[in-house]
Amino acid sequence: MQHGLNDVELQGNLFICRPKGAFNLEGVTEYETKFAHMAATLKGQVWGILNIYHDYETGGPDVQQRIWSQFNWSANHGCDFIGFVICNPLHEFAAKQTIKGIDIKQMKTFHDEPSAFAWIEQALQEANA
């Protein structure tokens, strides 16, 4: 049975991900096809991902490894910026673990959405100028 939902939307060249609940492997892989299809429209652009973790409860090691694989795929297909809006130290730890060793231009964590959006939107605008 699937656990965890991920509300993903694409605004311009920015993915906004709002995971909800505790994820199992089925839950974390459920949106991959949709995500890859959406990312294909960004070919040739620099793009970013903003993860808003207000309702995210993480998952086990297999889930964290799969998220790492998704971020690694993203970094290899045009994603230069990944941001996280976090609420607690566990979220910050999970964010750092899921991008560890990935060749990403820049990753930042924030405690509020306006700061996160301001940073990533400016970074994307400058990168695609």
Side-chain angles (χ1 to χ4, degrees), residues 10-78:
L10 182 59
Q11 291 183 1
N13 55 354
L14 174 61
F15 280 95
I16 303 166
C17 302
R18 296 177 187 273
K20 296 177 176 111
F23 280 77
N24 63 9
L25 198 53
E26 185 180 350
V28 82
T29 58
E30 179 269 330
Y31 74 98
E32 284 180 357
T33 302
K34 176 182 175 184
F35 185 91
H37 180 71
M38 293 166 72
T41 67
L42 300 173
K43 192 171 187 172
Q45 295 182 53
V46 172
W47 49 278
I49 302 171
L50 185 58
N51 300 280
I52 302 174
Y53 278 4
H54 297 309
D55 299 315
Y56 181 47
E57 296 177 27
T58 72
D62 58 339
V63 169
Q64 296 305 106
Q65 178 60 39
R66 189 62 178 230
I67 294 170
W68 181 92
S69 295
Q70 292 169 356
F71 287 150
N72 190 52
W73 181 92
S74 295
N76 289 323
H77 289 87

